[in-house]
Amino acid sequence: CRRSWNYSFPSHNRWILRQQLILYIILFSSDDCKELPYENDMKLTTTHLHKQNSFGKITVLTAYDFPTARVADECGIDILLVGDSVGTNVLGYEDISQVTMEDMLHHVRPVARAAKRAFVLADLPFHSFETARQGLENAAKLMRENADGVKIEGGKDVVDIIRLLAHNNIPVCAHIGYTPQTKGKKPQ
């Protein structure tokens, strides 16, 4: 579906212009439209996402700032991921293990402000969930900054943390498979 937006970008910010072009290519290259199982202007919840998943595809885009999140939200992206990749892509860190909770909170705020419809999923960075209690406290901090859910990396080793988050009504997405926080930069 073609959606229009009216937002002017500063011409000096080539990164934002590149993101705008990528969004344009991804979102407007297809004329295939589908009837969504919810209103286009409703804030998405996990219930909506479950229905959307059974209905068709869910779109996800990584966003670290207000302009990118605003355009993606207005274009109908379902999930805005505020990923720990912000460390290497924006903050100039050597790897994502250097990203702190403060970094994540700083980037969740503008993305959450921009997201009127999209579900905001925030990464729990490396060393922010070494215990279940620490994971819960840090997830709660992200939720207080208006994240709609958190993403946690790991498999069987984080099951207790996931249970605790779910028990406390914090939507959680388990990131399994390629896990750069614990396995390094190369896919396993």
Side-chain angles (χ1 to χ4, degrees):
C1 291
R2 296 178 189 266
R3 296 192 67 169
S4 62
W5 75 88
N6 183 14
Y7 189 77
S8 63
F9 290 100
S11 60
H12 65 278
N13 195 330
R14 291 184 182 181
W15 183 83
I16 292 176
L17 292 174
R18 182 174 161 269
Q19 292 298 100
Q20 179 186 24
L21 179 60
I22 290 169
L23 278 172
Y24 182 82
I25 291 168
I26 291 170
L27 295 170
F28 301 116
S29 62
S30 173
D31 288 330
D32 296 334
C33 292
K34 62 184 177 187
E35 191 67 32
L36 297 175
Y38 49 83
E39 295 295 321
N40 283 335
D41 295 331
M42 286 176 56
K43 180 71 173 167
L44 294 181
T45 65
T46 54
T47 302
H48 291 112
L49 294 172
H50 284 287
K51 287 179 185 175
Q52 177 74 6
N53 188 40
S54 64
F55 183 75
K57 296 178 181 176
I58 294 174
T59 55
V60 181
L61 184 79
T62 301
Y64 309 122
D65 57 38
F66 184 89
T68 304
R70 180 171 175 181
V71 169
D73 186 67
E74 290 177 359
C75 289
I77 295 294
D78 299 316
I79 299 174
L80 295 175
L81 171 65
V82 184
D84 56 4
S85 55
V86 68
T88 54
N89 293 334
V90 175
L91 301 175
Y93 295 156
E94 289 294 316
D95 61 64
I96 60 170
S97 68
Q98 295 174 286
V99 176
T100 65
M101 271 305 296
E102 290 73 28
D103 294 330
M104 292 305 299
L105 293 167
H106 175 78
H107 288 276
V108 164
R109 286 182 199 111
V111 171
R113 279 194 300 270
K116 303 301 180 214
R117 179 189 160 277
F119 186 90
V120 176
L121 186 63
D123 243 336
L124 279 169
F126 193 55
H127 294 305
S128 68
F129 52 94
E130 291 180 337
T131 67
R133 182 168 181 81
Q134 181 190 30
L136 176 61
E137 289 170 359
N138 285 322
K141 287 179 187 178
L142 291 167
M143 299 297 285
R144 281 193 296 273
E145 296 301 334
N146 294 317
D148 298 308
V150 298
K151 182 172 79 70
I152 186 170
E153 183 179 299
K156 293 177 184 177
D157 53 324
V158 295
V159 169
D160 291 337
I161 299 170
I162 292 170
R163 277 195 192 110
L164 182 62
L165 295 177
H167 179 74
N168 283 276
N169 298 316
I170 296 176
V172 60
C173 174
H175 176 166
I176 57 174
Y178 173 52
T179 52
Q181 285 182 4
T182 55
K183 304 292 187 213
K185 295 178 184 177
K186 295 182 182 178
Q188 303 298 311

